[in-house]
Amino acid sequence: MSEDLRDAREVFDLFDFWDGRDGLVDAYKVGDFLRCTGLNPTEENIKKFGGTKNQGEKQLPYEECKAIWEQAKAIKDTMTHKDFREAFKSFDREGQGFISAAEMRHMLNAMGDRLTDSEIDDIIKYTDVREDLEGNIKYDTFIEKVMEGPPGV
Amino acid sequence: AAILIQKWYRMYVARLEARRRYTWTIFQSIEYSGEQDQLKLHNFFNSMINQLKLDTDGQPKIARAFASSQRPAVVASETSDISGCIEGIEVESSYTGPHLTFPITHAQVKTLIQAFKAKRRLHVRYLLELLNETQKLFKQMKNINYASTSISKQITVCGDLHGKLEDLYMIFHKNGLPSVDNPFVFNGDFVDRGASSIEVSIILFACFLASPNEVFLNRGNHEDHVMNMRYGFMKEIIRKYKDYSTQVTKSFTEVFSWLPLATVIDDKVLVVHGGISQHVSLKSLARLDRHRVSRNESMICATLKQQYHLFLLTLQTVVSHNDCYGWSPVLSFLQFISVLRPPSLSEVSSLENVSLELQRLEEWKQNIFNDETNFLTLKPTFYVQVLDLLWSDPKSLMGCNPNTFRGGGCYFGPDITENFLEEHNFKLLIRSHECKPEGFEYNHDGKVLTIFSASNYYDIGSNKGAYAKLMGPDLTVHMVQFLAYQTGSVRKLTFTQRISCLEASAMQDLREKILTLKSDLMEEFKKHDTEETGTITIADWCSAMESVMDVDVPWRMLRSKLVKLNSDKRVNYESTFEELQIYHRYSEAIMEMLYRYKDSLETIFRIFDKDNSGFISMSEFTDACTLLTRHTSVNLSPNQVNDIAKSLDLNKDGQIDFNEFLEAFRIVDQKNLNTVSPRNTESEDIYDCASVNSFDEPMGVKRKITSNSELSNLET
């Protein structure tokens, strides 16, 4: 058994412990499960692999979770700092390295794997990004923080 | 770009949650493995105490200790022992604490609360009188309370308080004091672990005496003398009422033994401390004599699968000492076997017959335990029911399985709940016994509600406390959550910082537990290290940790925090012990063993130390060690025991100061060379018997966390 697979097994056990120690993990936790193994799938992929949106819909035994994990592992994460900056640049009308905070909120709220307002508030808090007087943020530092990954694990 | 940010955020949250959860798992696993140990000791001692009928001369000390340490809870007494204790105690004119007159009124409850807030202590005479009145009233009550909301239209249910006075204050602040319009149910575990078990008990009993029809108290698994010896209540009594600790202890034990076992609200909701099992039936529960843990029951308890070997061991001990004890105890033992299987007692007149009896017993045991169904169809006994009521936990697996986590009671599944509720026409089971991060939790499709009212239970920031208000004719449940701290100003910590603090705290607990098993672990590591490189694979390290430690934690996830990897990804296993060292004054050879069994030894010491002086004689200590070897798998030769005894007698006066023994271990953090305070996961550091003056001990902080340990005040 590879080291990675062993890690995944332990994460499954941890989730199972919290789920009632019955050998099954609720499918709505698939996303979190994968993230705790170090993978970072999109919401769309999570659903494709078998995750559900709501609690109580489906219960997955280890074998199924393992299969989902293997699928998720196969997908390569290809975005680099450069790609990121390019994307932000398109919002940066004045080319000064700033983007309006409101626009970023809108972007996170309306596109991709949408986030709620309170989740966006959290992001601002965790990355310690500050709006200037005109409501803009310097996106370079923000990108750096995000690429750095979540702290402490 | 949006997706990248969103993925980052989700990963962040998921990992934070995982950390929070395994921190919790660590705290809980360590807690329960301690409880498991204690329950074994508890059953062992109860059997010993009940079963030994001893002659007065020529006894070894063990026997004498048990004979004279009569525990009121296990011997049915006609008259109360408490009133005897009160005689001769006068209240001095210099006493500035609260005065009590009986019957207790609501005004006096308020007086008590004010006094405790002002850090006064209740005079021992009033305390004993209060306990006496409480016990008298409990005695008149049945095993099951019946509460009604016909007048008040609502009722409040609180869970474990564990001596945390600030949580009780918080509840009264938010919900008002008990009265005719404001009935309460307190679901057990009022004492142990927290700093103010005595004050919490006093207030609860006073409330009960002031409104006996509106305040309902259930017994919890910590309302028990052997638990109290390990988990801090005894220490608190000794510290606060040193000169009268024996009387106070005895009185509390007496009161606890009379506590009702459950409360039924409006014939719709059952409130009980632990849970239920397939053996529990309210009808038979109502009939049993809760005060008398009769000999039969203890014996039967001892025959529960996990205790059975203990029972045989005890029997064998008695038989092998028969020259000291005489025949009567042997006969007594054998008599009780008859409850399960009729022996041929009349023939027991010689050692040969006893051996034969033992042999038959051994065969019978084989038969009965080889066939699970046989065992389970044994008629459920009273003690088993009480054990199940106070120790069980709900789980998602169907059926009833032995609660291996705790060592007592069972895990009950949704089907057990369903059947039980249906049989009694109840709509909900409310229980406590388990700490929950949000202070409460629903299980079994909303049919089981766990309520836990001690916030910050494991450490500051670990969990909220909660209580439930059941309102209206349908008893609709409204949960109220809270967080209570002892002193005011706490600065804001972010959620992340709080998790990091808690995590650090849990890791500390875990490291110390690892330290107690150092030699066993090294042995196991070396087994994997066949080429003696000093390193092993990660997988081997994890499996070694799993097999030696008896806590269920995610070792792979924690590996990076516990041990170092070398350049080719192998674990340098000695680095497992690098960070902490035990600093002690005893010889190396026995140090680790003593540290590992510190808590069990403490319990045994307290049983011997009848006058609560904190000293036992060398020979009593030797006996205690012998008991320990019986109870655990530790093998100590008489020479080793003597060596230990000699080294513990630090000033060579033939007496061992066991408080000194307990305090003698200090964990030194090698990295920072800070002395972390004496470790004891179960009780608070403030139980330092040296500092008797400090009634206003700081609550909550188990150890000195770094300067970042402040908290945000989350009131829901």
Side-chain angles (χ1 to χ4, degrees):
Chain A
M1 226 201 258
S2 75
E3 289 302 318
D4 283 344
L5 185 56
R6 281 188 224 265
D7 281 337
R9 175 79 225 215
E10 204 182 54
V11 175
F12 174 83
D13 286 338
L14 186 68
F15 274 77
D16 176 38
F17 181 90
W18 280 89
D19 216 355
R21 281 182 146 196
D22 53 2
L24 302 168
V25 168
D26 197 309
Y28 96 118
K29 279 285 177 188
V30 162
D32 286 344
F33 163 69
L34 292 172
R35 288 178 192 113
C36 289
T37 61
L39 301 173
N40 208 354
T42 61
E43 291 286 284
E44 200 190 309
N45 278 339
I46 290 170
K47 221 177 345 168
K48 205 164 66 173
F49 298 149
T52 59
K53 202 145 194 318
N54 298 313
Q55 195 177 3
E57 278 180 44
K58 208 162 95 176
Q59 298 285 327
L60 300 168
Y62 171 65
E63 290 309 319
E64 287 192 45
C65 285
K66 174 168 165 229
I68 294 176
W69 176 76
E70 279 164 351
Q71 282 183 284
K73 206 158 159 17
I75 299 194
K76 295 290 172 209
D77 214 0
T78 48
M79 287 195 83
T80 62
H81 195 141
K82 192 154 158 288
D83 295 324
F84 213 168
R85 289 192 95 241
E86 288 304 313
F88 267 90
K89 266 217 189 112
S90 58
F91 283 90
D92 182 5
R93 292 195 197 87
E94 292 166 40
Q96 298 288 326
F98 287 96
I99 167 180
S100 129
E103 284 213 71
M104 192 181 78
R105 270 182 180 270
H106 171 79
M107 169 175 84
L108 292 173
N109 213 321
M111 303 185 208
D113 289 338
R114 304 173 190 200
L115 291 177
T116 64
D117 281 327
S118 65
E119 287 173 331
I120 298 171
D121 286 335
D122 280 342
I123 293 184
I124 310 279
K125 205 166 45 165
Y126 296 145
T127 52
D128 204 20
V129 153
R130 288 180 211 289
E131 281 181 51
D132 65 14
L133 291 167
E134 292 163 31
N136 295 322
I137 52 180
K138 204 167 190 311
Y139 56 76
D140 244 337
T141 17
F142 179 70
I143 294 170
E144 258 170 48
K145 288 241 165 67
V146 170
M147 297 300 290
E148 215 173 72
V153 183
Chain B
I3 289 189
L4 192 60
I5 300 174
Q6 290 153 343
K7 280 192 340 182
W8 174 90
Y9 170 75
R10 291 200 168 90
M11 158 117 29
Y12 184 92
V13 168
R15 292 198 165 182
L16 207 58
E17 181 61 22
R19 282 167 70 198
R20 188 167 89 95
R21 289 185 166 192
Y22 68 61
T23 300
W24 186 266
T25 308
I26 294 172
F27 277 135
Q28 201 172 61
S29 298
I30 294 181
E31 177 187 13
Y32 289 178
S33 91
E35 270 190 4
Q36 204 185 89
D37 218 34
Q38 197 63 4
L39 191 58
K40 281 194 207 140
L41 260 181
H42 176 288
N43 290 328
F44 179 67
F45 284 133
N46 270 333
S47 335
M48 292 286 280
I49 290 161
N50 283 338
Q51 309 323 327
L52 290 175
K53 262 188 198 165
L54 303 159
D55 311 307
T56 42
D57 30 62
Q59 305 170 357
K61 301 251 175 46
I62 305 176
R64 217 186 312 132
F66 283 125
S68 50
S69 64
Q70 18 92 19
R71 303 290 168 188
V74 301
V75 175
S77 46
E78 296 310 320
T79 56
S80 154
D81 290 305
I82 306 182
S83 32
C85 296
I86 302 177
E87 257 174 80
I89 305 179
E90 295 297 328
V91 181
E92 321 73 40
S93 45
S94 54
Y95 170 68
T96 53
H99 294 268
L100 288 184
T101 57
F102 296 87
I104 299 277
T105 59
H106 286 117
Q108 291 197 67
V109 172
K110 292 202 180 118
T111 311
L112 278 171
I113 293 180
Q114 295 307 339
F116 291 149
K117 282 191 172 159
K119 310 291 185 199
R120 301 261 180 270
R121 195 171 304 176
L122 184 65
H123 194 278
V124 68
R125 189 189 166 95
Y126 295 135
L127 171 59
L128 293 173
E129 284 178 337
L130 180 77
L131 291 174
N132 195 25
E133 291 301 309
T134 308
Q135 183 238 199
K136 278 181 1 201
L137 201 49
F138 277 159
K139 249 175 161 168
Q140 296 169 24
M141 295 169 67
K142 303 213 181 64
N143 296 338
I144 304 174
N145 295 319
Y146 283 88
S148 159
T149 61
S150 53
I151 299 175
S152 57
K153 309 296 179 214
Q154 53 87 18
I155 187 165
T156 308
V157 182
C158 299
D160 294 27
L161 285 166
H162 281 302
K164 300 184 82 260
L165 199 50
E166 60 277 15
D167 286 301
L168 186 59
Y169 289 159
M170 175 69 81
I171 294 173
F172 286 155
H173 169 73
K174 287 169 100 65
N175 203 48
L177 284 171
S179 69
V180 168
D181 296 311
N182 200 12
F184 275 79
V185 180
F186 289 96
N187 202 10
D189 278 8
F190 318 128
V191 301
D192 278 336
R193 297 184 205 272
S196 310
S197 302
I198 293 181
E199 286 74 31
V200 166
S201 311
I202 291 174
I203 294 177
L204 289 179
F205 294 154
C207 286
F208 167 68
L209 290 174
S211 327
N213 297 317
E214 286 85 39
V215 173
F216 302 93
L217 303 175
N218 288 344
R219 187 172 186 179
N221 63 312
H222 277 265
E223 271 72 57
D224 173 287
H225 61 276
V226 181
M227 294 299 274
N228 297 153
M229 277 193 265
R230 186 191 187 111
Y231 288 106
F233 189 37
M234 265 294 278
K235 280 191 202 158
E236 187 184 329
I237 292 177
I238 292 174
R239 189 164 55 86
K240 293 180 178 170
Y241 293 100
K242 178 126 181 73
D243 298 328
Y244 298 98
S245 53
T246 318
Q247 293 96 314
V248 173
T249 310
K250 206 161 115 166
S251 306
F252 266 107
T253 310
E254 181 75 14
V255 171
F256 288 162
S257 73
W258 282 109
L259 270 166
L261 300 169
T263 299
V264 174
I265 306 173
D266 287 350
D267 284 320
K268 287 208 194 81
V269 175
L270 176 68
V271 186
V272 75
H273 178 75
I276 53 176
S277 71
Q278 73 219 51
H279 300 306
V280 168
S281 116
L282 289 188
K283 272 209 213 81
S284 76
L285 212 55
R287 284 199 304 260
L288 71 86
D289 181 351
R290 72 181 184 274
H291 174 76
R292 251 176 83 177
V293 178
S294 79
R295 293 158 168 182
N296 286 358
E297 315 314 334
S298 270
M299 217 44 172
I300 290 163
C301 158
T303 65
L304 287 176
K305 192 162 188 178
Q306 57 220 61
Q307 310 297 337
Y308 192 79
H309 64 281
L310 223 51
F311 156 49
L312 270 186
L313 220 70
T314 317
L315 185 56
Q316 282 159 1
T317 311
V318 172
V319 167
S320 60
H321 281 95
N322 76 84
D323 46 300
C324 313
Y325 297 99
W327 282 112
S328 44
V330 181
L331 286 176
S332 311
F333 269 124
L334 294 176
Q335 239 164 31
F336 305 125
I337 305 165
S338 67
V339 179
L340 293 170
R341 174 193 90 93
S344 44
L345 267 186
S346 47
E347 280 82 74
V348 179
S349 56
S350 68
L351 195 53
E352 287 79 40
N353 281 18
V354 173
S355 308
L356 194 62
E357 198 55 46
L358 275 176
Q359 215 180 313
R360 273 198 250 162
L361 203 60
E362 191 55 51
E363 282 166 10
W364 170 75
K365 166 203 162 191
Q366 298 289 356
N367 286 335
I368 209 129
F369 290 123
N370 284 339
D371 188 345
E372 280 299 310
T373 49
N374 252 353
F375 174 61
L376 290 175
T377 56
L378 281 178
K379 193 156 177 245
T381 67
F382 296 153
Y383 187 82
V384 172
Q385 278 202 69
V386 174
L387 204 64
D388 286 344
L389 275 185
L390 267 36
W391 283 83
S392 300
D393 292 315
K395 290 287 171 216
S396 43
L397 278 172
M398 293 291 187
C400 221
N401 303 292
N403 191 330
T404 47
F405 215 4
R406 305 251 198 191
C410 74
Y411 290 137
F412 61 98
D415 51 335
I416 305 281
T417 304
E418 176 99 35
N419 294 339
F420 183 86
L421 292 180
E422 214 180 280
E423 186 189 319
H424 295 88
N425 211 6
F426 291 155
K427 68 164 208 163
L428 178 65
L429 168 67
I430 298 183
R431 42 89 64 176
S432 303
H433 196 43
E434 281 182 294
C435 184
K436 298 290 177 191
E438 294 296 310
F440 74 97
E441 188 177 275
Y442 278 100
N443 290 106
H444 296 183
D445 201 26
K447 300 212 174 74
V448 176
L449 169 62
T450 303
I451 304 181
F452 196 84
S453 302
S455 63
N456 302 318
Y457 179 63
Y458 288 121
D459 209 337
I460 297 180
S462 64
N463 64 290
K464 295 184 187 152
Y467 61 85
K469 288 195 78 69
L470 278 55
M471 306 183 82
D474 288 326
L475 293 179
T476 326
V477 176
H478 297 270
M479 295 306 304
V480 179
Q481 294 170 296
F482 56 85
L483 274 172
Y485 310 110
Q486 232 219 358
T487 46
S489 56
V490 277
R491 292 212 315 270
K492 260 189 174 305
L493 261 192
T494 64
F495 187 65
T496 315
Q497 285 173 309
R498 198 150 29 96
I499 303 237
S500 299
C501 266
L502 262 181
E503 192 181 20
S505 181
M507 291 308 294
Q508 182 80 341
D509 279 357
L510 191 60
R511 281 198 195 95
E512 284 165 26
K513 207 164 159 74
I514 289 175
L515 214 50
T516 67
L517 288 160
K518 179 172 174 178
S519 35
D520 285 7
L521 282 169
M522 282 302 284
E523 206 184 296
E524 193 68 23
F525 291 150
K526 293 212 167 102
K527 278 192 207 154
H528 290 281
D529 184 15
T530 45
E531 289 163 42
E532 294 185 14
T533 58
T535 64
I536 52 179
T537 64
I538 295 179
D540 285 340
W541 182 84
C542 289
S543 83
M545 295 305 282
E546 245 178 72
S547 67
V548 173
M549 304 283 300
D550 56 356
V551 281
D552 196 1
V553 296
W555 294 110
R556 292 191 71 89
M557 275 192 191
L558 301 172
R559 183 207 37 81
S560 55
K561 296 188 203 284
L562 290 172
V563 80
K564 294 206 176 82
L565 284 183
N566 66 7
S567 45
D568 53 343
K569 299 278 167 95
R570 283 171 70 89
V571 172
N572 172 351
Y573 52 82
E574 272 210 69
S575 67
T576 314
F577 312 104
E578 222 167 57
E579 273 196 32
L580 298 179
Q581 295 283 335
I582 302 178
Y583 170 69
H584 59 92
R585 288 174 247 157
Y586 306 125
S587 79
E588 190 69 44
I590 56 153
M591 176 277 292
E592 191 185 304
M593 200 268 325
L594 283 179
Y595 187 72
R596 192 189 307 183
Y597 293 107
K598 182 155 89 72
D599 297 321
S600 296
L601 273 176
E602 181 187 345
T603 305
I604 295 171
F605 283 162
R606 292 205 187 280
I607 291 195
F608 279 98
D609 182 26
K610 282 172 294 307
D611 59 0
N612 296 328
S613 61
F615 288 93
I616 60 172
S617 71
M618 292 273 276
S619 53
E620 283 174 330
F621 174 76
T622 317
D623 286 340
C625 278
T626 315
L627 259 181
L628 189 65
T629 62
R630 293 252 153 76
H631 161 66
T632 62
S633 53
V634 170
N635 248 327
L636 282 178
S637 73
N639 278 336
Q640 284 176 302
V641 175
N642 278 328
D643 283 341
I644 296 171
K646 281 208 207 98
S647 22
L648 286 183
D649 179 13
L650 290 166
N651 57 359
K652 307 293 165 219
D653 65 347
Q655 292 257 325
I656 294 164
D657 177 348
F658 72 83
N659 284 316
E660 203 185 51
F661 160 75
L662 294 175
E663 302 300 306
F665 294 101
R666 287 181 181 271
I667 305 292
V668 179
D669 185 343
Q670 290 292 85
K671 246 186 3 197
N672 309 325
L673 288 179
N674 286 332
T675 309
V676 182
S677 32
R679 286 305 308 140
N680 190 330
T681 332
E682 290 83 12
S683 70
E684 308 287 351
D685 280 342
I686 43 85
Y687 288 116
D688 179 1
C689 292
S691 61
V692 181
N693 321 321
S694 51
F695 184 47
D696 51 352
E697 63 278 21
M699 176 57 216
V701 184
K702 286 201 304 187
R703 68 187 65 70
K704 283 82 179 156
I705 308 184
T706 65
S707 55
N708 291 332
S709 63
E710 305 106 15
L711 285 182
S712 62
N713 215 322
L714 292 180
E715 255 217 43
T716 314

